[in-house]
Structure formats: C-alpha cells, structure tokens
C-alpha cells in the first residue's frame, strides 16, 4: 500500500559523518542522444558500446517502490536523470506515479533536446522544475561539446517552453572547461540575467574514467566569480538549506542570481546528503564511487519492504564518502563508475 501523501512522517538516517539522507538521484536510462566530450566521449560510447538492455532497467513500478522506501528514510527530493532521462519512453508515467507524494520535491535534469515537445506533458504529470544543461550560447562551441551537431537554438526553445508551462525557475547548468568554453561564461550570465532562470557554472570533474580529466582543464569558480563581477556587480547570498551544492550570488541590481558548483576547488562533502540509484538499480553513495549495492536483486527476489529498507539503512549508516575532500592526481586516475551510468 502506498503511504498517505498527507500524513507521511519519515525517520532520519545518519551516516558515519553525521550526514542525513535527503536527496535521491534516479538514473532512468544510461543512454543519451548527445556525446558530450566530458561525459560520453564518442570514442568510448560508440556504436559497439553495450548499453543496458530493457529488462535490465528498473521498471517504473520498481523505481516507485524504492522511492517510497527512501522517503520513509527521510528523502525529500528526487531528481530524475541519466543518461538523458527524456529518451526513456513514457517518462511522464513515472512522474505521475512519483507525484502522488505531494510533499516530494520532484525535478529532472535534461540536455533540453526533447524539452520543447515534452515540457507540457511533464508539467501535467506533476513535475515541479527542470534543470537544463547548456555549455555555451555559441553554436560552434556547443556543437563541438555535444559532438552530435545539436544546435543551441533548439535547447533555448526547450527552456522557453519549460518556463511557459510553469516548470520554473529553470536552472541552466554549464560545465566549464578551460580552453573549450570558458570564453562563453560572461555571455551566458548576460543572456539569462533578468529572465528569472538561474545559471550555475560547474567545475569540470574527474567523474568516470573516460573523459581525460586533468586539473589544468578546471576553471576554479573563484576565477569565474571575478570574471562575472568585472561585468556585473554581484554579492554572495546565504544557502537555502544544508547540502545545497551551488554557492549563490545575486546581481546587485535585483535582476536575479547565478550559482557556482565547485566540487573540485571547494569540496562540499561535509554537507553531502545525496545518494544515487543507477538505471539498473545499483545504489551509490558517492558520485565517485567504484562500487554500488544491488537493490534490483532484492526487488526481483521478492524481498519485503522491510528487507529493502534495512539494506538501504545498512549502506547509508556505513557511509564515509568524501572523495572531493581527498582528491589527488592519483585518485583522479582510479577506475570510477561513469556519470552517464550512475546518474549525474
Ligand atoms: N543528460 C542530462 C543532462 O546533460 O543534463 C542529465 C545527465 S548529465 C550526466 C547531468 C549533469 O552532469 C549535466 O549538467 C552535465 O553537464 C553534468 N556533467 C557531466 N559530466 C560532467 C563532468 N565531467 N564534470 C562536471 N559536470 C558534468
Ligand atoms: Fe548526455 Fe548529459 Fe552526458 Fe551530455 S552530459 S552526454 S547530455 S548524459
Ligand atoms: Fe558527495 Fe561524494 Fe561529491 Fe563528496 S565527492 S560531495 S561525498 S558525491
């Protein structure tokens, strides 16, 4: 029986560093129609790459059941991701099922390519907001980065439509890579200033082991703050809640805000309240994990809710992750799970 959305009360799970479990990222597919060079480089994710088969993916029913159990452990926020979540067929059905829990903050991260067509259905199904990834407004730079020749204009149409149907405020994620798109930063801030959308600049991370990450490619957020501040006066704003990963800054003229996600130069592990569920039901307690816990095996062996709940509690209670705090050139070379698999 689903728990009553109005009378729900959750217990709080705490890990070994005193961090509660609050956010769940659910990857609904490991596939994507882009080949962003920093995430799914073509040379690795080519036509021979073995993606998950349909029956390996968690069904919507299985995802819903797990979300319900996670919610009883204190999860307040669920973000659907991937791969590209909008390539999973009938995703609105899953959103409808999850939206039953009215107090759940239900959001989605997308590359925006299918958003213009799907925004209205997503909103009607009960999605609250979207985050759209867009790495440059310059078409040449953007197509070089997505590596499938996808134009900026179509992503902008998706953002507009999301705004129109009320999936607001739209957050725009821009991964900044030195020498690739760092010259697009000020233009990105200027374009979205005053629109109500919030641009977040993300430091290029050493996720997975295929994107050729090197420290020289990272543009520290400090540098970006100064670059933007030289054009538009901005000042820092307090975080909305514990575990908010973006450092917020607002324009002094009241025309909105921007965020900086500095997982490389200013690690935020001490407040990390996130866990991730891969498309095939592996649970990961860190973006940089090398190993997960198989929840699908439990689901498909007819485990009870109590047994699955106990398995989740065991994993979170033992959690000690703080990869970004201890990152070195050596750890960056470790074989980690790919972001498109684990859910970005
Ligand atoms: N396909 C969707 C998208 O691109 O928005 C959702 C999945 S994607 C893996 C989630 C987020 O991770 C995107 O905003 C993407 O830019 C970001 N990302 C991927 N690889 C990254 C990396 N190496 N460093 C920093 N961010 C990265
Ligand atoms: Fe696809 Fe998103 Fe990765 Fe780009 S960042 S390849 S859009 S999953
Ligand atoms: Fe959380 Fe791991 Fe990232 Fe640290 S490195 S903030 S523990 S996901």
């Amino acid at each position: 029986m689903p728990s009553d959305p109005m009378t729900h009360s959750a217990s709080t799970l705490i890990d070994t560093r005193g961090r509660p479990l609050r956010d769940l990222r659910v990857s609904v597919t490991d596939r994507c129609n882009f080949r962003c060079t920093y995430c799914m480089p073509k040379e690795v994710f080519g036509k021979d790459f073995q993606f998950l088969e349909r029956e390996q993916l968690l069904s919507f029913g299985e995802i819903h059941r797990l979300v319900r159990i996670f919610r009883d452990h204190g999860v307040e926020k669920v973000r659907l991701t991937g791969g590209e979540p909008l390539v999973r067929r009938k995703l609105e059905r899953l959103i409808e099922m999850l939206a039953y829990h009215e107090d759940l903050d239900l959001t989605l991260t997308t590359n925006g390519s299918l958003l213009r067509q799907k925004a209205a259905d997503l909103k009607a199904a009960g999605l609250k907001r979207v985050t759209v990834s867009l790495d440059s407004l310059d078409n040449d730079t953007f197509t070089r980065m997505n590596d499938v020749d996808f134009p900026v204009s179509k992503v902008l149409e998706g953002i507009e439509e999301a705004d129109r149907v009320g999936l607001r405020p739209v957050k725009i994620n821009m991964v900044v890579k030195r020498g690739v798109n760092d010259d697009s930063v000020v233009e990105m801030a200027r374009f979205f200033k005053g629109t109500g959308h919030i641009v977040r600049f993300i430091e290029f991370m050493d996720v997975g082991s295929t994107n050729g990450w090197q420290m020289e490619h990272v543009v520290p957020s400090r540098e970006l703050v100064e670059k933007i501040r030289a054009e538009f006066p901005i000042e820092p704003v307090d975080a909305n809640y514990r575990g908010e990963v973006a450092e917020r800054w607002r324009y002094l003229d009241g025309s909105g805000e921007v965020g900086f996600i500095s997982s490389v130069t200013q690690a935020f592990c001490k407040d990390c309240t996130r866990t991730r569920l891969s498309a095939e039901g592996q649970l990961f307690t860190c973006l940089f994990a090398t190993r997960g816990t198989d929840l699908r095996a439990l689901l498909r062996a007819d485990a009870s809710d109590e047994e699955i709940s106990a398995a989740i509690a065991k994993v979170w209670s033992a959690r000690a992750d703080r990869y970004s705090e201890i990152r070195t050139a050596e750890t960056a070379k470790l074989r980690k799970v790919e972001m498109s698999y684990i859910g970005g």
Side-chain angles (χ1 to χ4, degrees):
M1 265 300 287
S3 46
D4 186 329
M6 305 312 288
T7 59
H8 177 259
S9 72
S11 64
T12 298
L13 264 184
I14 302 291
D15 74 5
T16 64
R17 312 184 79 81
R19 299 168 296 192
L21 171 56
R22 291 281 179 251
D23 314 70
L24 174 66
R25 299 201 153 207
V26 180
S27 170
V28 294
T29 177
D30 59 338
R31 294 171 196 252
C32 185
N33 54 346
F34 281 16
R35 286 292 176 273
C36 303
T37 50
Y38 55 74
C39 179
M40 296 179 78
K42 249 182 189 161
E43 311 76 63
V44 179
F45 295 87
K47 66 175 179 356
D48 295 331
F49 187 83
Q50 274 290 316
F51 289 101
L52 296 171
E53 300 293 343
R54 203 180 159 67
E55 61 282 3
Q56 292 177 284
L57 299 179
L58 291 186
S59 68
F60 290 165
E62 288 172 328
I63 294 175
H64 184 208
R65 183 171 174 214
L66 288 179
V67 166
R68 194 162 46 71
I69 296 170
F70 272 106
R71 203 165 149 266
D72 289 337
H73 277 310
V75 163
E76 299 164 342
K77 191 169 170 182
V78 170
R79 177 172 296 276
L80 302 179
T81 179
E84 172 48 41
L86 297 186
V87 303
R88 175 103 186 229
R89 283 182 52 226
K90 301 206 168 70
L91 189 71
E92 314 76 75
R93 282 283 306 122
L94 174 65
I95 292 171
E96 258 171 38
M97 290 160 85
L98 300 181
Y100 168 85
H101 306 285
E102 292 165 15
D103 55 359
L104 199 64
D105 189 17
L106 184 59
T107 63
L108 172 143
T109 301
T110 172
N111 62 24
S113 57
L114 301 167
L115 195 53
R116 188 174 64 82
Q117 300 92 296
K118 300 205 172 192
D121 287 348
L122 296 171
K123 174 70 182 173
L127 188 70
K128 298 202 171 144
R129 280 170 286 106
V130 282
T131 296
V132 181
S133 304
L134 178 60
D135 295 326
S136 180
L137 291 164
D138 175 70
N139 208 51
D140 288 343
T141 307
F142 184 57
T143 51
R144 254 199 312 278
M145 288 180 85
N146 65 50
D147 218 7
V148 293
D149 225 10
F150 198 87
V152 172
S153 57
K154 288 223 166 103
V155 179
L156 292 179
E157 285 172 16
I159 293 171
E160 242 173 64
E161 182 63 4
D163 184 42
R164 194 188 67 78
V165 302
L167 293 168
R168 277 195 293 265
V170 180
K171 289 184 183 156
I172 322 277
N173 276 359
M174 171 177 176
V175 174
V176 183
K177 202 171 164 189
R178 193 180 297 284
V180 176
N181 65 339
D182 48 338
D183 55 352
S184 300
V185 164
V186 172
E187 191 47 35
M188 190 69 102
R190 188 194 317 277
F191 186 83
F192 288 106
K193 186 173 179 286
T195 60
H197 309 322
I198 303 168
V199 181
R200 288 129 39 103
F201 301 98
I202 304 178
E203 289 177 349
F204 173 47
M205 293 186 283
D206 52 327
V207 282
S209 43
T210 60
N211 70 9
W213 184 90
Q214 288 176 24
M215 192 63 202
E216 299 93 270
H217 298 149
V218 179
V219 184
S221 293
R222 284 288 132 227
E223 201 178 312
L224 297 182
V225 168
E226 290 319 317
K227 221 170 170 172
I228 293 172
R229 191 151 50 183
E231 294 283 324
F232 318 106
I234 50 174
E235 65 177 9
V237 189
D238 288 341
N240 282 320
Y241 54 90
R242 179 179 179 191
E244 186 170 45
V245 298
E247 188 186 304
R248 300 167 58 207
W249 288 68
R250 76 171 150 241
Y251 294 109
L252 291 185
D253 66 5
S255 59
E257 61 179 77
V258 285
F260 298 89
I261 301 181
S262 324
S263 101
V264 180
T265 63
Q266 295 162 68
F268 36 78
C269 301
K270 72 175 174 24
D271 283 332
C272 180
T273 56
R274 284 185 179 171
T275 193
R276 292 177 156 84
L277 186 64
S278 79
E280 59 173 342
Q282 292 275 335
L283 180 66
F284 294 94
T285 55
C286 178
L287 182 54
F288 299 91
T290 47
R291 225 174 322 116
T293 301
D294 191 355
L295 295 184
R296 188 187 63 190
L298 287 175
L299 285 166
R300 296 189 182 173
D302 289 332
S304 65
D305 284 3
E306 290 70 27
E307 286 166 326
I308 297 172
S309 178
I312 294 169
K314 189 170 166 209
V315 169
W316 191 265
S317 311
R319 177 186 189 242
D321 303 298
R322 55 186 199 106
Y323 179 89
S324 289
E325 287 179 354
I326 54 172
R327 172 187 286 109
T328 61
E330 288 312 305
T331 58
K333 283 187 217 136
L334 288 173
R335 241 199 122 62
K336 292 164 250 124
V337 183
E338 293 301 321
M339 197 164 186
S340 53
Y341 170 80
I342 196 174

